[in-house]
Every structure is written in C-alpha cells, then in structure tokens.
Amino acid sequence: MLPPLSLRRFCCCCSALETAATATVTTTTKRNLVFLGSPQVSASVLDALLDSSQAPNSIFQLAAIVTQPPSGRGRGRKLMPSPVAQHAIDRGFPQDRILTPERAGEETFLSDLRALNPELCVTAAYGNILPKKFLEIPPCGTVNIHPSLLPLYRGAAPVQRALQDGITETGVSLAYTVRKLDSGPVIAYERVVVDDIIKAPELLAMLFNIGSTILLRKLPSIFDGTARLKAQPQDHSKATMAPKLSNDESWLSFDQEAKVIHNKVRAFAGWPGTRAKFQVIDMNGHPNVLEIKIITTRVSDASGSKESGDGITFAGSALLVPCAGHSWLEIVELQPPGKKAMSARDFWNGLRGQKLKLL
C-alpha cells in the first residue's frame, strides 16, 4: 500500500506526492500504475484495476487516478466530481490521490505525476489530450482501451458512429498512446458481433468490460516490455474517424429510410438522444406541433403494406411512421415534452382520437 498523503480533495498540487513516491520505492516492489478515466463507463476499468491491485500476488498498485475536474450538474448546477472520481471515493480510494487537472499539460500536474514515479499509465475515455511531456513520463508507456477495431473509428465517439453506420461487427483495442489520435501500435484486440437492437450505452459497457479483461491479461508483458516489441502498427491508410456527437445532430429526418433512422436512434441513445417534430391534429382540425424524444425503435418487416403519406398509425405495440423508400419505422418507446418516457401504446391512448402526422 502507498503511505497516506495529506488531504487534497480534487486537487493536483501537493508536495506530499514526492514523499509518497520516495517511500514507495523503498517499501514495495509493486509497479506504480496511474489510471485516467472520467465517464461512468470507465468505472468498470477502474474496478478491474482496483480489484487486481488488491490481490496478494498483484504486480502493480494503483498510485493515482486522473479524471476530469468537478463540473456543474443537475438543476442547481452543483459542482459534482466526475463519475469515475465519485466511484473511486465510494470504493474508499484516497481522495488526495484523485487528480483533476483542467489540462493534462499543466506543469503542476506533470510535476505531481513525475513525483509518483508511474511506470505505466492506462487511459479509458479520459477526455483530455495527452501532450508529449505527459507521454514521456511513464517508462512503460501509456496504453488506451479504445472501443473499436483500430484503425477504424478513431476519435471521441467510436461506438456511436459505428452503430450509426449500421455495422454488424466491432470490437475493442488495447493500444499504445502516441501524439496522433488513436494511432499507436495495437497490443491486442477482440471482435464483437453487433445485433440490430443494442444501443450505444450497452455496447460501450460491454466493450470496456472486455477491454478490462484484455488489459489485465496483457499487463505483465506491458511491464516487461515484450508487449511493445510485439505490438502491431496500424495501417493508417484504412483509418476512419469518429467525431464527437453534437446536440444539433439529434434531430431525425423521416425522408431517410427506416433502417438509417433506427441506427441513429440506437447510436445516439443516452446523449444526445434523438428527437422529432410531429403534428397533432385535434378534433377541430387545428394542428399543434409536438417535439418528442424517440427512445426505442424497430424497422418494420412489412414494408409497403400500409397506407403511404404523412399519416402515423398504431399497430401491435408501436407507432408506424412512413419513411423513405417505402419503409416504415416502428416507434416503441418515446418521451413527450414534460413527461417521463412511455410506451407507444400509452402515448397513442393519450391522444384520445387526435390524429398524428409528420411535420
């Protein structure tokens, strides 16, 4: 175990780090590892590292956790730690070892990191660019768990963009971090078959769980250097990019085919979600525009068998929406403004005979 440090909650400047690192060299032979991650999906990687580091025969100890600084969330915009930071606290990890720099290139943070003498840094959806000065610190390098089969889908939203493209296979890669985005040599990877139902949050969780297993399996070879010798360079000519999602992309357009829309709903699940505008025609024929969040959809298997036009009907358990190419989208779950998510059946019953049309 690392010796206790003076209290330094969510701060990255503490001279006690230097004392701790010096003491570590003389009291243990375990290798110092620093984990970098921020969103909830990264917590599974943190759990795997904490559990493994506490095993009697562990070859490493978790020297520190680096995560995004506290941010304002909720109605009151109260400053809250990142999900990874909160998870670490809940598991009893020392709060003075949770580092939260605004940028990973801050000299104070880099000084603290050097004082810890990390032999390896591990990143999983950290969310900050790592500068050259950072990458030069750990002698065993920095490795990243990336939820795609590199060099495909490099960037901030690999799972979301892959689902949006309608892929049937993806995977997770463990790769060395270099200055160019997601371009380092690949240590190991695992393929995963993707069905047409799974949404981004579930697939992300699955891939990071698999990535954690790969990481733990490869740690001995990463520490002894053989992983670097065997790592495979990426074929940069085959690289594709996965840019960050934006809220403006959340709007659905029903002049696309149903499959394209369905894939977008799955890809954008969680944040930013997907939304569409409909017309509700009351009993007097007056139209009202309704903005609805679309949560769960299916592609209808009865293309071309229903009436065409801009009218929306209900059958089985879904709203049936006409789309391009004589295709039909089934909306199974949705959320009207100011209300909780509900089934399509409950929404349809709430219309009480009013008509629903595309805007």
Side-chain angles (χ1 to χ4, degrees):
M1 294 290 292
L2 286 167
L5 305 180
S6 58
L7 182 62
R8 182 180 53 112
R9 185 170 187 172
F10 304 118
C11 177
C12 62
C13 50
C14 179
S15 61
L17 284 169
E18 299 179 4
T19 305
T22 303
T24 300
V25 173
T26 59
T27 59
T28 182
T29 58
K30 289 187 175 183
R31 325 290 284 269
N32 280 345
L33 183 151
V34 171
F35 173 69
L36 298 88
S38 297
Q40 185 60 47
V41 74
S42 304
S44 63
V45 183
L46 175 59
D47 275 336
L49 289 171
L50 284 171
D51 293 343
S52 181
S53 69
Q54 293 165 2
N57 61 344
S58 175
I59 62 173
F60 73 94
Q61 60 186 351
L62 197 56
I65 295 170
V66 183
T67 188
Q68 294 280 9
S71 59
R73 295 202 295 274
R75 291 183 178 179
R77 305 301 295 170
K78 180 181 179 182
L79 279 180
M80 301 289 290
S82 76
V84 159
Q86 186 60 59
H87 190 74
I89 294 169
D90 293 342
R91 287 209 47 170
F93 191 82
Q95 294 179 23
D96 60 329
R97 296 193 195 283
I98 301 175
L99 313 182
T100 61
E102 291 286 346
R103 295 178 303 278
E106 293 175 5
E107 285 302 326
T108 304
F109 164 68
L110 292 175
S111 177
D112 284 343
L113 186 65
R114 292 187 189 98
L116 285 165
N117 290 327
E119 293 195 48
L120 175 68
C121 291
V122 174
T123 62
Y126 170 46
N128 263 346
I129 295 174
L130 301 179
K132 182 180 178 182
K133 288 183 178 180
F134 177 101
L135 297 176
E136 290 174 342
I137 294 175
C140 294
T142 297
V143 298
N144 178 48
I145 297 175
H146 186 78
S148 82
L149 295 172
L150 291 171
L152 302 179
Y153 297 105
R154 294 175 177 174
V159 167
Q160 293 90 335
R161 297 304 183 186
L163 287 178
Q164 188 178 10
D165 288 345
I167 52 91
T168 57
E169 181 185 70
T170 187
V172 58
S173 304
L174 180 66
Y176 284 102
T177 300
V178 296
R179 285 291 293 129
K180 188 176 180 181
L181 181 67
D182 298 325
S183 300
V186 175
I187 301 167
Y189 66 90
E190 186 167 327
R191 297 179 182 275
V192 173
V193 175
V194 179
D195 61 30
D196 62 355
I197 298 174
I198 194 167
K199 298 178 182 178
E202 292 80 17
L203 185 54
L204 270 168
M206 178 192 302
L207 293 176
F208 275 110
N209 280 330
I210 296 171
S212 301
T213 302
I214 296 173
L215 171 66
L216 294 181
R217 187 171 69 242
K218 291 296 181 180
L219 272 181
S221 64
I222 295 172
F223 278 124
D224 69 23
T226 57
R228 189 179 291 277
L229 297 175
K230 296 179 180 179
Q232 297 297 307
Q234 295 184 40
D235 184 347
H236 302 304
S237 68
K238 296 181 179 179
T240 59
M241 302 307 296
K244 183 178 179 180
L245 305 183
S246 71
N247 196 51
D248 290 341
E249 293 181 88
S250 64
W251 290 104
L252 298 178
S253 173
F254 295 102
D255 59 4
Q256 296 178 309
E257 291 191 3
K259 186 175 181 180
V260 173
I261 301 171
H262 172 63
N263 288 336
K264 185 172 183 177
V265 171
R266 296 192 297 137
F268 284 48
W271 192 91
T274 47
R275 48 189 172 153
K277 290 182 179 180
F278 300 94
Q279 278 188 330
V280 178
I281 312 298
D282 65 21
M283 300 302 185
N284 296 318
H286 298 143
N288 294 298
V289 176
L290 196 62
E291 180 183 317
I292 298 175
K293 293 182 179 179
I294 309 301
I295 299 175
T296 304
T297 58
R298 295 190 298 252
V299 178
S300 174
D301 59 1
S303 299
S305 64
K306 309 172 188 69
E307 294 181 6
S308 60
D310 58 1
I312 298 172
T313 59
F314 180 84
S317 61
L319 298 177
L320 302 177
V321 184
C323 304
H326 303 290
S327 61
W328 289 78
L329 183 73
E330 299 184 8
I331 299 177
V332 180
E333 186 180 11
L334 49 83
Q335 183 176 1
K339 297 184 179 181
K340 294 182 179 180
M342 63 178 63
S343 68
R345 181 182 297 278
D346 288 342
F347 173 76
W348 186 259
N349 290 339
L351 291 177
R352 301 182 184 280
Q354 299 178 99
K355 294 182 179 180
L356 192 64
K357 300 178 66 176
L358 295 178
L359 186 62

